[in-house]
Amino acid sequence: EPEVTQTPSHQVTQMGQEVILRCVPISNHLYFYWYRQILGQKVEFLVSFYNNEISEKSEIFDDQFSVERPDGSNFTLKIRSTKLEDSAMYFCAGSGTNSDTQYFGPGTRLTVL
Amino acid sequence: QKEVEQNSGPLSVPEGAIASLNCTYSDRVSQSFFWYRQYSGKSPELIMSIYSNGDKEDGRFTAQLNKASQYVSLLIRDSQPSDSATYLCAVNRGGTNAGKSTFGDGTTLTVKP
């Protein structure tokens, strides 16, 4: 059964550094998402991506964040200048339609020191 | 009012009992409803999706949806210790929406042997 994969599983970085989180969605999915979950809190929507552009973004997804699907398979989330409060689990997800089930990757744990 | 509200936990049931998890949502145009299971430190794993009013059964799991009451529930029959996890209710507007899913805070279930 196809799965969403994410790398790295754990990223430790210094405050102010740039990080890129990578995801390989399921190949026949068309909609892609990033969510985050701060420890002990709920899963929060960051951004959705369809047809090579952002469809919707949350208030969390400010100018420090960007997404890209550079080669038709990888889907990346970049944080330009990390802050302590960016420490969280970041989940990539994908779906076939915008109302269909979203399948989540295993997540990247980002720790900002 | 929270967009998606789940019954506060933790919920504890003995092995073999029925566990009942509840969720209400505020957006009346919501079209897709999902129950995910999340083990500590892991990503959400889909348990059930439901789109129409009524019941949907899959093995030991039954999802119930009542759009008029803006209510969705999950029943777990013959609960097993392996069902011990946090259960997340997620709601999606579908339609022209970009596919953002809004999650509740989760209900932590413990099944005692």
Side-chain angles (χ1 to χ4, degrees):
Chain A
E1 187 174 319
E3 292 182 337
V4 179
T5 60
Q6 288 186 245
T7 54
S9 57
H10 191 188
Q11 174 91 50
V12 181
T13 190
Q14 295 291 325
M15 189 170 56
Q17 294 298 303
E18 175 183 286
V19 295
I20 298 176
L21 310 182
R22 292 183 167 81
C23 169
V24 179
I26 295 171
S27 60
N28 63 352
H29 282 173
L30 300 176
Y31 291 80
F32 310 104
Y33 313 88
W34 285 100
Y35 292 85
R36 81 170 186 189
Q37 187 176 31
I38 295 171
L39 186 64
Q41 298 187 23
K42 68 178 181 181
V43 176
E44 299 176 289
F45 170 79
L46 292 178
V47 66
S48 60
F49 192 84
Y50 171 70
N51 203 24
N52 283 322
E53 60 183 23
I54 290 174
S55 306
E56 185 177 358
K57 56 185 180 180
S58 70
E59 294 174 351
I60 303 167
F61 195 90
D62 62 19
D63 292 345
Q64 294 301 310
F65 290 85
S66 62
V67 290
E68 211 176 30
R69 193 153 188 256
D71 57 10
S73 61
N74 292 284
F75 181 47
T76 62
L77 174 69
K78 182 194 291 186
I79 309 175
R80 288 189 185 82
S81 178
T82 50
K83 302 188 281 283
L84 295 176
E85 54 265 38
D86 293 328
S87 295
M89 281 288 283
Y90 287 80
F91 297 111
C92 170
S95 62
T97 72
N98 65 346
S99 60
D100 208 353
T101 300
Q102 293 177 15
Y103 291 92
F104 283 72
T108 293
R109 180 174 298 283
L110 177 64
T111 302
V112 182
L113 302 176
Chain B
Q1 182 187 9
K2 291 182 179 178
E3 290 183 76
V4 178
E5 196 147 4
Q6 297 185 234
N7 50 328
S8 59
L11 175 65
S12 180
V13 300
E15 184 174 355
I18 295 175
S20 177
L21 305 163
N22 303 315
C23 174
T24 57
Y25 58 95
S26 61
D27 189 345
R28 285 195 165 275
V29 300
S30 298
Q31 295 188 14
S32 310
F33 307 87
F34 308 96
W35 283 101
Y36 288 89
R37 177 173 61 197
Q38 186 176 35
Y39 294 112
S40 181
K42 301 295 185 181
S43 64
E45 172 194 6
L46 180 75
I47 298 293
M48 294 279 284
S49 59
I50 186 166
Y51 302 90
S52 304
N53 281 329
D55 295 359
K56 180 181 177 182
E57 187 174 317
D58 184 1
R60 297 186 295 111
F61 300 94
T62 298
Q64 299 174 316
L65 174 62
N66 184 326
K67 290 185 179 180
S69 301
Q70 295 173 240
Y71 172 86
V72 58
S73 68
L74 180 71
L75 297 178
I76 307 174
R77 289 181 299 281
D78 188 24
S79 296
Q80 301 297 308
S82 57
D83 294 327
S84 298
T86 297
Y87 288 80
L88 310 178
C89 173
V91 174
N92 184 316
R93 293 186 97 196
T96 57
N97 175 252
K100 165 190 171 182
S101 280
T102 301
F103 285 78
D105 290 334
T107 300
T108 299
L109 170 67
T110 301
V111 180
K112 296 187 174 180

